[in-house]
Amino acid sequence: MAFNGHRGDDDEVVNHDEDETPTKQQQQQQPPRCAGEAMTDDPTHDPADGGTPADELSATGTRTSRQDSMRKSRPPFPWFGMDIGGALSIRRYLTSHTAYGQTGLRDVHLELRDLSLCGRTGTLHFIRFPTHDLPAFLQMVRDKHFSSLHTTLCATGGGAYKFEADFHTIADLELHKLDELDCLIRGVLFTDSAVSSDPASECYYFEDPSDPERCVQRPYALQDPYPLLLVNIGSGVSILAVYSEKDYKRVTGTSLGGGTFLGLCCLLTGCSTFEEALEMASQGESTSVDKLVKDIYGGDYQRFGLPGWAVASSFGNMISPEKREGVSKEDLARATLVTITNNIGSITRMCALNENINKVVFVGNFLRVNTLSMKLLAYAMDYWSGGQLKALFLRHEGYFGAVGALLELLHPS
Amino acid sequence: MAEFDGVDRRSSHRMDKSITLPPDEIFRNLENAKRLAIDIGGSLTKLAYYSTVQHKVAKVRSFDHTAKEAASDNIYEISVQEEITARLHFIKFENAYIETCLDFIKDHLVNTDTKLIKATGGGAHKFKDLIEKKLGLKVDKEDEMTCLIRGCNFVLRNIPHEAFVYAKHADSEFRFQNTHPDIFPYLLVNIGSGVSIIKVESEDTFERVGGSSIGGGTFWGLGALLTQTKRFDELLQLASKGQHTSVDMLVKDIYGGSYGSLGLTGDLIASSFGKSATTNKEFSKEDMAKSLLHMISNDIGQLACLYARLHKLTRVYFGGFFIRGHPVTMHTITYSINFFTKGEVQALFLRHEGYLGAIGAFLKGAEEDNPNQYSWGENYAGSSGLMSVSPDLNPMQRARSGTFDMLEMDRLERKLVNLPLLQDPSSYIPDTVDLTEDPLAREYWLYCFEEALDGVVKRAVASQPDIPEAVERAEKFRHKYRDKLQTLRQQPFAYGSLTVRSLLDTREHCLNEFNFPDPYSKIKQRENDIALKYYQKAVHALDALSWEEKHFALVRGVLAGNVFDWGAKAVSDVLESDPEFGFEQAKRQLEERPWLVDSYDQWLERMKGPPHKCSVFFVDNSGMDIILGVMPFVRELLCRGTEVVLASNSSPALNDVTNGELQILTERIAAMDPVIQAGLKDERLVLVQTGSSSPCLDLSRLDKVLAMVVRERKADLVVIEGMGRAIHTNYYARLSCESLKMAVIKNSWLADRLGGKLFSVVFKYEVPPPPTAVMTTAEEDEENSVFAP
């Protein structure tokens, strides 16, 4: 049961820099730029250049600079890390300019530019595609002779294990499989430190979470992160207590995660994508679906200090046939989102109490473009702990596993 | 949260007024009912009331020797008197019958000055007007959570084997827990439409420490949306037929196998409903219901574990309509708890879970009677017992359609407590063999009790020769007890662990139910008369023996006396056919040493040492046993300077000597024997009742006074005599002082199982190990194996 850890869910590919992989424009034998640039490694880059136009970057990544001393030990250029999860949603591979195959998406807004890594400066790109498109991805990798550049690929997530043979037989690539929780933590810590100088801080929280009007996102300096509870919400959820980069444990997990939200939404509303489900949820009301404390007690249940607005029974009103007829798909999507999110919140809160940790960082693809859930989590942490617990979020929600895998490529641990 | 059993409005309006209620069988003793309480849930109503029951009890009274001695040979007279005792009645029925039931109650509730009915449960407000109109009583609402906790404390404290662990694939699905002397603290997870998690620290201290909105209402509501199935029970039925793996994303769906470094096996659910997010195929209703059930059970189990850990509690009880005896939910919750705590915490369920609210509401209304100052006992005759949840016997539908489930509890005369000399009260199990887990033994004993039924009926009729309708009552008794045996054959777990003791106690309850309070009274009287005549002779004979011979003769005397047992068929046949069967003949039946269990040499050695300070002697039968066996032995202890506490039953069971009879017998013996005389006078010999009316002995439920005497006198020797008390129960009981268990095996099947034969002797003298010693010695292992099938 339960499970899971993997959350990863998502799968994305990160590619560090430069390049990219099989872009469609590249020719067979010569994965264009990536190759060239990688080889040359010349220190060109001027700042202006660094900020190349988006489209161009996407295609090729960026340029890089490097330091001589590191050259030899560095793997060949474009650097990749992959995290192949259970497939929360949908994501696809990377490729060229804008379109990474049919379903791949590059999250341009997350790019980390002018990032120095291993003696090079470049841009870190974040690209995602659905796990079920992996076969197509592999096909493309083979067609583009990606293996002429790389023979080993650092990958994490359950898919690294599940599809290892496919990588080998179809794409002639060896996977260097990495533990996903190791990668996750490494990725989180690296990303946070890499952008700590950036005003658009990696880490943020919601101020006044109890007041929807005033609730605003604020940067948070995660300078002294330990101990922290790291909650990775992918298809399922893993909760880790992190005491240092190397010292962490998986406290527990739950199978009620992003996959459950999407799965139930698909069944209840007929939608088919995460974005669609979220969109519906944002337009619905969960109070017609859920039974609230006040629906039972007429107000607060004072004996136990339960406010009337608290949900007494998720989907509890749906036991009545009349009420089932009166709800919209949007309401059902919203109730599903609220149910799953609150449940993650309460398990997290219990773990924080049991582990005696008061800082919680929520990551994972479930939170991508999901401000609704983030605010709910922020509020739940704050309200039920009487302000003792702080919910923190990271901009690169679902990409930390991939970043961790990439780092492993550069700095084998 | 909220124990609101989501009310299915449609079905609850569908009143069934056509049923007729059999007045003798349900809502019994309504005439004097008071303290009414009602708990109305989503589908079931539970009614509670307190009533007085008039029934017959056997009393003995010593004759005035001076005047009437010539009038009768008997040493005492037996009379049957009316006694009024208090009983709690709890009845559970479907909401559909509520109107009919209220009418019935109104018609039968005559002698009451009750003005009020306590009400709780989510449906209480809905039926308030109906109740007030029908009964003319004012409805007084009580907080459900408070009622729930009160009720839970009450059953945990008063009903042995109330809690059980559910093991779907075990030979018996139910593993009953011992009653802990201290029931607090515990966690109660109540799964109604939502979940409430309550930490209970004492009778009046409890706190809702948490909860979850994902509960029974979520299963029901979401299940109805996904499967278009309306009823909760139907959803469970769907779930029990489904395969969750087609809907859930498992670890192996992501990893291709297990996630070894975290110890997550491939079959674990990584994401509930995860597959429905990635595939477009149609899922079956069964599979979705199953996936939903797993999702909710796991989630609740996980939260329960987190709360248990946070509050450092290991006892976690689950209740609420989501659980209420449904095997599917008990199984999934149990599985989840085991997974998340790796066995540290057990999921416990309660036999009377459905009654907690009603019991609590009743207790709230009865506060002025102070029900918690008494001990209560489940009346097996008047209680329905746990229904089978086995799919073969009772596929999913429990207590439905017209069935009325009942629980009756008798107020016991005295407060019952542990014997202070138990080595470890929390691990003490009175019964030697759990028949629930031993099919062969179960088969035998059920057969044995059935076989003996004719004899018991005959004896019951014979005990009331002047009352013509005794025959009719005896037949009613026969049917009742035979039905109980049938039920137990199908559902051995109906009243907790099935044991020889529970079979005997059930028979006593049924006899009392039909006003046969003491079928053996006349036999006991006659045998006591005869035995008394031999007392002096027996004592003189013993006094003539050498020290060693005397000690051996004393022990043989106790054993021979113990042969006289009407509870044992092998013996009652002999006694029935040969009324002259005597003490000397009994001695000849005894096995020669070495006995089957024989620590006589150690005992004799001990007798050469300093006297014990005080001995507690749990006695068995009337007649030869007590008078010619036990009394000389007691006399010797007194002579050695040991005080003796004679512990006997408070009320009759078979031919066991009762405290009332023993008072008279002891006086008579004292008149003949200066040693006994002096002992009584100096209070070095005292008679105390056990609080029990069972042929067996539960050392964890003894009269408070006995416990006090034991403690005050610093008893350092416990003697337990007879098959019921020393073999069927307490054979393995560990005491913190020296103990002596003596019995003659009067049942050839049992003898066979123990590796002996009819009239084999168990003489078990035990000295507790010093505090540091390890309990399991090779010898003990060997002993334990004795009862293994």
Side-chain angles (χ1 to χ4, degrees), chain B residues 640-674:
Chain B
R640 280 170 54 82
T642 302
E643 296 167 32
V644 179
V645 178
L646 281 179
S648 54
N649 271 4
S650 298
S651 16
L654 289 169
N655 64 326
D656 291 3
V657 67
T658 63
N659 187 58
E661 290 157 355
L662 191 53
Q663 298 279 1
I664 295 167
L665 296 178
T666 312
E667 276 167 32
R668 293 301 299 266
I669 291 170
M672 301 183 271
D673 185 339

Short mmCIF file of all heavy atoms in Angstrom, two decimals, chain B residues 640-674:
data_model
loop_
_atom_site.label_atom_id
_atom_site.label_comp_id
_atom_site.label_asym_id
_atom_site.label_seq_id
_atom_site.Cartn_x
_atom_site.Cartn_y
_atom_site.Cartn_z
N ARG B 640 -0.76 -26.40 61.81
CA ARG B 640 0.61 -25.97 61.54
C ARG B 640 0.80 -24.48 61.83
O ARG B 640 1.91 -23.96 61.75
CB ARG B 640 0.94 -26.19 60.06
CG ARG B 640 1.30 -27.61 59.70
CD ARG B 640 1.38 -27.76 58.18
NE ARG B 640 2.29 -26.80 57.53
CZ ARG B 640 3.60 -26.94 57.46
NH1 ARG B 640 4.18 -28.00 57.99
NH2 ARG B 640 4.35 -26.04 56.87
N GLY B 641 -0.28 -23.79 62.05
CA GLY B 641 -0.17 -22.36 62.33
C GLY B 641 -0.44 -21.49 61.11
O GLY B 641 -0.12 -20.30 61.09
N THR B 642 -1.00 -22.08 60.09
CA THR B 642 -1.34 -21.31 58.88
C THR B 642 -2.79 -20.85 58.96
O THR B 642 -3.68 -21.64 59.25
CB THR B 642 -1.15 -22.19 57.63
OG1 THR B 642 0.20 -22.65 57.58
CG2 THR B 642 -1.47 -21.42 56.37
N GLU B 643 -3.00 -19.58 58.71
CA GLU B 643 -4.38 -19.11 58.61
C GLU B 643 -4.98 -19.62 57.31
O GLU B 643 -4.27 -19.80 56.33
CB GLU B 643 -4.42 -17.57 58.57
CG GLU B 643 -3.91 -16.90 59.83
CD GLU B 643 -3.68 -15.41 59.61
OE1 GLU B 643 -4.42 -14.81 58.79
OE2 GLU B 643 -2.76 -14.87 60.23
N VAL B 644 -6.29 -19.85 57.32
CA VAL B 644 -6.93 -20.35 56.10
C VAL B 644 -8.12 -19.48 55.72
O VAL B 644 -8.97 -19.19 56.55
CB VAL B 644 -7.39 -21.81 56.28
CG1 VAL B 644 -8.07 -22.31 55.00
CG2 VAL B 644 -6.21 -22.72 56.63
N VAL B 645 -8.12 -19.08 54.45
CA VAL B 645 -9.27 -18.37 53.89
C VAL B 645 -9.96 -19.33 52.94
O VAL B 645 -9.38 -19.74 51.94
CB VAL B 645 -8.82 -17.11 53.11
CG1 VAL B 645 -10.03 -16.42 52.50
CG2 VAL B 645 -8.04 -16.16 54.02
N LEU B 646 -11.18 -19.74 53.29
CA LEU B 646 -11.91 -20.64 52.40
C LEU B 646 -12.73 -19.81 51.43
O LEU B 646 -13.64 -19.08 51.84
CB LEU B 646 -12.83 -21.56 53.21
CG LEU B 646 -12.19 -22.77 53.88
CD1 LEU B 646 -13.24 -23.56 54.66
CD2 LEU B 646 -11.50 -23.69 52.87
N ALA B 647 -12.41 -19.93 50.15
CA ALA B 647 -13.09 -19.11 49.15
C ALA B 647 -14.06 -19.98 48.37
O ALA B 647 -13.66 -20.95 47.73
CB ALA B 647 -12.07 -18.48 48.21
N SER B 648 -15.35 -19.66 48.48
CA SER B 648 -16.35 -20.47 47.79
C SER B 648 -17.28 -19.57 46.98
O SER B 648 -17.35 -18.36 47.19
CB SER B 648 -17.15 -21.28 48.80
OG SER B 648 -17.69 -20.41 49.78
N ASN B 649 -18.01 -20.19 46.06
CA ASN B 649 -18.91 -19.45 45.18
C ASN B 649 -19.97 -18.66 45.94
O ASN B 649 -20.47 -19.10 46.97
CB ASN B 649 -19.65 -20.42 44.26
CG ASN B 649 -18.87 -20.68 42.98
OD1 ASN B 649 -17.74 -20.19 42.83
ND2 ASN B 649 -19.44 -21.45 42.09
N SER B 650 -20.34 -17.53 45.37
CA SER B 650 -21.40 -16.73 45.98
C SER B 650 -22.77 -17.33 45.71
O SER B 650 -23.65 -17.28 46.54
CB SER B 650 -21.36 -15.31 45.41
OG SER B 650 -20.13 -14.73 45.73
N SER B 651 -22.94 -17.86 44.52
CA SER B 651 -24.22 -18.52 44.22
C SER B 651 -23.97 -19.86 43.54
O SER B 651 -22.86 -20.14 43.11
CB SER B 651 -25.12 -17.63 43.38
OG SER B 651 -24.40 -16.59 42.81
N PRO B 652 -25.02 -20.66 43.44
CA PRO B 652 -24.84 -22.05 43.05
C PRO B 652 -24.35 -22.24 41.62
O PRO B 652 -24.69 -21.48 40.72
CB PRO B 652 -26.25 -22.65 43.18
CG PRO B 652 -27.03 -21.70 43.99
CD PRO B 652 -26.42 -20.36 43.77
N ALA B 653 -23.57 -23.28 41.46
CA ALA B 653 -23.19 -23.77 40.14
C ALA B 653 -22.97 -25.26 40.32
O ALA B 653 -22.21 -25.67 41.20
CB ALA B 653 -21.91 -23.11 39.65
N LEU B 654 -23.69 -26.06 39.56
CA LEU B 654 -23.62 -27.52 39.72
C LEU B 654 -23.70 -27.89 41.20
O LEU B 654 -24.50 -27.34 41.94
CB LEU B 654 -22.32 -28.04 39.09
CG LEU B 654 -22.28 -28.00 37.56
CD1 LEU B 654 -20.89 -28.27 37.04
CD2 LEU B 654 -23.27 -29.01 37.00
N ASN B 655 -22.86 -28.85 41.60
CA ASN B 655 -22.91 -29.23 43.02
C ASN B 655 -21.80 -28.56 43.82
O ASN B 655 -21.39 -29.04 44.86
CB ASN B 655 -22.83 -30.75 43.18
CG ASN B 655 -21.51 -31.30 42.68
OD1 ASN B 655 -20.95 -30.79 41.73
ND2 ASN B 655 -21.00 -32.34 43.33
N ASP B 656 -21.29 -27.46 43.29
CA ASP B 656 -20.24 -26.75 44.02
C ASP B 656 -20.82 -26.18 45.32
O ASP B 656 -21.96 -25.73 45.36
CB ASP B 656 -19.70 -25.59 43.18
CG ASP B 656 -18.90 -26.10 41.98
OD1 ASP B 656 -18.83 -27.34 41.81
OD2 ASP B 656 -18.37 -25.28 41.23
N VAL B 657 -19.99 -26.22 46.34
CA VAL B 657 -20.47 -25.71 47.62
C VAL B 657 -20.52 -24.18 47.55
O VAL B 657 -19.62 -23.54 47.02
CB VAL B 657 -19.58 -26.22 48.78
CG1 VAL B 657 -18.17 -25.64 48.70
CG2 VAL B 657 -20.22 -25.92 50.12
N THR B 658 -21.62 -23.64 48.03
CA THR B 658 -21.73 -22.17 48.02
C THR B 658 -21.29 -21.64 49.37
O THR B 658 -21.22 -22.37 50.36
CB THR B 658 -23.19 -21.72 47.78
OG1 THR B 658 -23.99 -22.19 48.88
CG2 THR B 658 -23.74 -22.27 46.49
N ASN B 659 -21.05 -20.36 49.38
CA ASN B 659 -20.62 -19.74 50.63
C ASN B 659 -21.66 -19.93 51.73
O ASN B 659 -21.31 -20.19 52.88
CB ASN B 659 -20.35 -18.26 50.37
CG ASN B 659 -19.74 -17.58 51.56
OD1 ASN B 659 -18.69 -17.98 52.03
ND2 ASN B 659 -20.42 -16.58 52.09
N GLY B 660 -22.93 -19.83 51.34
CA GLY B 660 -24.00 -20.00 52.33
C GLY B 660 -23.97 -21.39 52.93
O GLY B 660 -24.08 -21.56 54.15
N GLU B 661 -23.83 -22.39 52.08
CA GLU B 661 -23.78 -23.76 52.59
C GLU B 661 -22.54 -23.98 53.45
O GLU B 661 -22.58 -24.63 54.49
CB GLU B 661 -23.76 -24.74 51.40
CG GLU B 661 -25.09 -24.81 50.66
CD GLU B 661 -24.96 -25.29 49.21
OE1 GLU B 661 -23.81 -25.51 48.74
OE2 GLU B 661 -25.99 -25.43 48.56
N LEU B 662 -21.46 -23.41 52.99
CA LEU B 662 -20.20 -23.65 53.69
C LEU B 662 -20.21 -23.04 55.09
O LEU B 662 -19.63 -23.60 56.02
CB LEU B 662 -19.03 -23.08 52.86
CG LEU B 662 -17.63 -23.47 53.31
CD1 LEU B 662 -17.48 -24.99 53.44
CD2 LEU B 662 -16.58 -22.93 52.36
N GLN B 663 -20.92 -21.92 55.23
CA GLN B 663 -21.03 -21.33 56.57
C GLN B 663 -21.65 -22.34 57.53
O GLN B 663 -21.15 -22.57 58.64
CB GLN B 663 -21.96 -20.09 56.53
CG GLN B 663 -21.50 -18.95 55.65
CD GLN B 663 -20.45 -18.07 56.30
OE1 GLN B 663 -20.05 -18.32 57.43
NE2 GLN B 663 -19.98 -17.06 55.59
N ILE B 664 -22.73 -22.95 57.07
CA ILE B 664 -23.45 -23.89 57.93
C ILE B 664 -22.60 -25.13 58.20
O ILE B 664 -22.47 -25.59 59.33
CB ILE B 664 -24.79 -24.28 57.27
CG1 ILE B 664 -25.69 -23.04 57.19
CG2 ILE B 664 -25.46 -25.41 58.03
CD1 ILE B 664 -26.90 -23.23 56.29
N LEU B 665 -21.99 -25.64 57.12
CA LEU B 665 -21.18 -26.85 57.28
C LEU B 665 -20.02 -26.62 58.25
O LEU B 665 -19.71 -27.47 59.09
CB LEU B 665 -20.63 -27.30 55.92
CG LEU B 665 -21.68 -27.73 54.89
CD1 LEU B 665 -21.00 -28.12 53.58
CD2 LEU B 665 -22.51 -28.90 55.42
N THR B 666 -19.41 -25.47 58.12
CA THR B 666 -18.26 -25.19 58.97
C THR B 666 -18.66 -25.11 60.43
O THR B 666 -17.98 -25.61 61.32
CB THR B 666 -17.56 -23.89 58.52
OG1 THR B 666 -17.40 -23.93 57.12
CG2 THR B 666 -16.20 -23.75 59.16
N GLU B 667 -19.82 -24.48 60.65
CA GLU B 667 -20.31 -24.42 62.04
C GLU B 667 -20.52 -25.82 62.59
O GLU B 667 -20.20 -26.12 63.74
CB GLU B 667 -21.64 -23.66 62.09
CG GLU B 667 -21.46 -22.17 62.15
CD GLU B 667 -22.78 -21.46 61.88
OE1 GLU B 667 -23.85 -22.01 62.24
OE2 GLU B 667 -22.74 -20.35 61.29
N ARG B 668 -21.13 -26.65 61.74
CA ARG B 668 -21.40 -28.01 62.21
C ARG B 668 -20.11 -28.77 62.49
O ARG B 668 -20.01 -29.53 63.45
CB ARG B 668 -22.25 -28.78 61.16
CG ARG B 668 -23.65 -28.22 61.00
CD ARG B 668 -24.44 -28.25 62.30
NE ARG B 668 -24.61 -29.60 62.82
CZ ARG B 668 -25.68 -30.36 62.57
NH1 ARG B 668 -26.67 -29.88 61.85
NH2 ARG B 668 -25.76 -31.59 63.05
N ILE B 669 -19.14 -28.58 61.65
CA ILE B 669 -17.86 -29.26 61.87
C ILE B 669 -17.19 -28.71 63.12
O ILE B 669 -16.64 -29.44 63.94
CB ILE B 669 -16.96 -29.12 60.64
CG1 ILE B 669 -17.56 -29.94 59.49
CG2 ILE B 669 -15.54 -29.59 60.93
CD1 ILE B 669 -16.92 -29.71 58.15
N ALA B 670 -17.30 -27.40 63.29
CA ALA B 670 -16.69 -26.77 64.45
C ALA B 670 -17.26 -27.37 65.74
O ALA B 670 -16.56 -27.53 66.75
CB ALA B 670 -16.92 -25.26 64.42
N ALA B 671 -18.54 -27.72 65.65
CA ALA B 671 -19.18 -28.30 66.84
C ALA B 671 -18.56 -29.65 67.20
O ALA B 671 -18.61 -30.08 68.34
CB ALA B 671 -20.67 -28.44 66.60
N MET B 672 -17.98 -30.28 66.20
CA MET B 672 -17.38 -31.60 66.46
C MET B 672 -15.87 -31.50 66.63
O MET B 672 -15.23 -32.43 67.08
CB MET B 672 -17.65 -32.53 65.26
CG MET B 672 -19.10 -32.75 64.93
SD MET B 672 -19.24 -33.93 63.57
CE MET B 672 -19.18 -32.89 62.15
N ASP B 673 -15.31 -30.44 66.16
CA ASP B 673 -13.84 -30.40 66.04
C ASP B 673 -13.27 -29.14 66.67
O ASP B 673 -13.45 -28.03 66.16
CB ASP B 673 -13.48 -30.45 64.55
CG ASP B 673 -11.98 -30.54 64.33
OD1 ASP B 673 -11.20 -30.17 65.24
OD2 ASP B 673 -11.58 -30.96 63.23
N PRO B 674 -12.59 -29.27 67.79
CA PRO B 674 -12.06 -28.10 68.50
C PRO B 674 -11.07 -27.28 67.67
O PRO B 674 -10.97 -26.07 67.84
CB PRO B 674 -11.34 -28.69 69.71
CG PRO B 674 -11.56 -30.15 69.68
CD PRO B 674 -12.25 -30.55 68.44
#
